[in-house]
Amino acid sequence: MQLVIISGRSGSGKSIALQALEDLGFYAIDNLPAMLLDPLIHELQQDEVRRSNIAVSVDARNLPTALKRFPVLLEEIRMRNIDCHVVYLTAENKILLERYSATRRSHPLTRDSEMTLAEAIESEEHTLARIRDLADLVIDTSQLSIHDLRARIASQVAHHSSDQLTLTFESFGFKRGVPLDADTVFDARCLPNPYWDPQLRHYDGRDEKIVQFLESYAQVDAMANDIRDWLERWLPAYVASNRSYLTVAIGCTGGQHRSVYLSERLAHHFATRYRVRLRHRELGVLTVVGEARNDSA
């Protein structure tokens, strides 16, 4: 049985993620009280209602006592050898404000209180902090369309097994902020920038002209090798700690050239041994680079 627990901030796309899993054959339940997780699993494991995949949404509408007990409940579930993943969706505060303003829906925490929308958004982040800390995967939906989010859920969550690490390399531009779902961040802004050459400006880091430009500088090669060596040193430790996902974000100023080149180079290096996903945030591209298993890593 695979159990996926979807949580996160209201307006970040939890319903879309749950619907995506339901369309992929999961038995989906929205807004499940956390205290009912264990009884639900027990019932669904019975022969007459056996389901191989279950997806539930657990969010701030739960009772505070249930949310406080969530770490214990999660540990109890995993002790029963259930393939369980916690996925946490989030987005920037200003994006959540814009989404609520566009839909004119009320935030769950404003319905029975005198909090403003901005206060409710901030309060919810603190309320769900325990779940976010335990999440196997954090997805920042600030710049994702509905189709992009569904694709990420299908690619990273629906067919994932707990005995392997999914490694995601994500390029981004610092001018649009650091991705909220990054586990580790590397800064490539100190490298030579092709943007300042008018003939190269309109290409990106996947194009041969940009590759040739960057590979002509020794410091670009040195940074790529340093990041590679750091990951070679520490990825086995992440695997040994039963980590299911790791997102390595590499940023430059605009997220078009240097960060894209480095992410491409590193993703293809590790694709022979790990499940590798490659995302270029500013280009709107998400691809599968490798499906290699890392059982021996």
Side-chain angles (χ1 to χ4, degrees), residues 115-129:
M115 283 192 288
T116 65
L117 175 58
E119 291 170 341
I121 289 173
E122 188 66 31
S123 175
E124 184 180 45
E125 178 75 345
H126 296 296
T127 300
L128 297 175

Side-chain angles (χ1 to χ4, degrees), residues 176-283:
R176 295 181 65 184
V178 176
L180 299 178
D181 49 11
D183 294 301
T184 183
V185 178
F186 294 95
D187 185 352
R189 287 176 293 183
C190 62
L191 299 179
N193 191 353
Y195 178 85
W196 299 114
D197 185 336
Q199 295 182 341
L200 299 178
R201 183 171 298 174
H202 301 295
Y203 295 99
D204 65 58
R206 300 170 297 174
D207 295 312
E208 187 60 28
K209 290 182 181 293
I210 301 300
V211 172
Q212 291 177 357
F213 172 89
L214 291 172
E215 290 185 348
S216 69
Y217 291 90
Q219 59 263 52
V220 174
D221 191 58
M223 177 175 283
N225 290 339
D226 283 346
I227 298 174
R228 178 203 64 198
D229 292 345
W230 188 91
L231 290 170
E232 292 280 12
R233 170 68 179 84
W234 289 106
L235 279 177
Y238 282 106
V239 173
S241 66
N242 297 317
R243 184 66 180 263
S244 298
Y245 306 88
L246 188 73
T247 298
V248 179
I250 303 174
C252 59
T253 304
Q256 303 284 331
H257 303 108
R258 296 163 290 182
S259 61
V260 171
Y261 165 78
L262 289 172
S263 296
E264 289 274 341
R265 176 169 167 173
L266 291 162
H268 286 90
H269 173 80
F270 286 99
T272 58
R273 287 168 292 150
Y274 293 87
R275 291 168 51 94
V276 175
R277 302 292 183 267
L278 180 61
R279 183 185 179 216
H280 300 306
R281 189 182 74 178
E282 316 310 352
L283 302 181

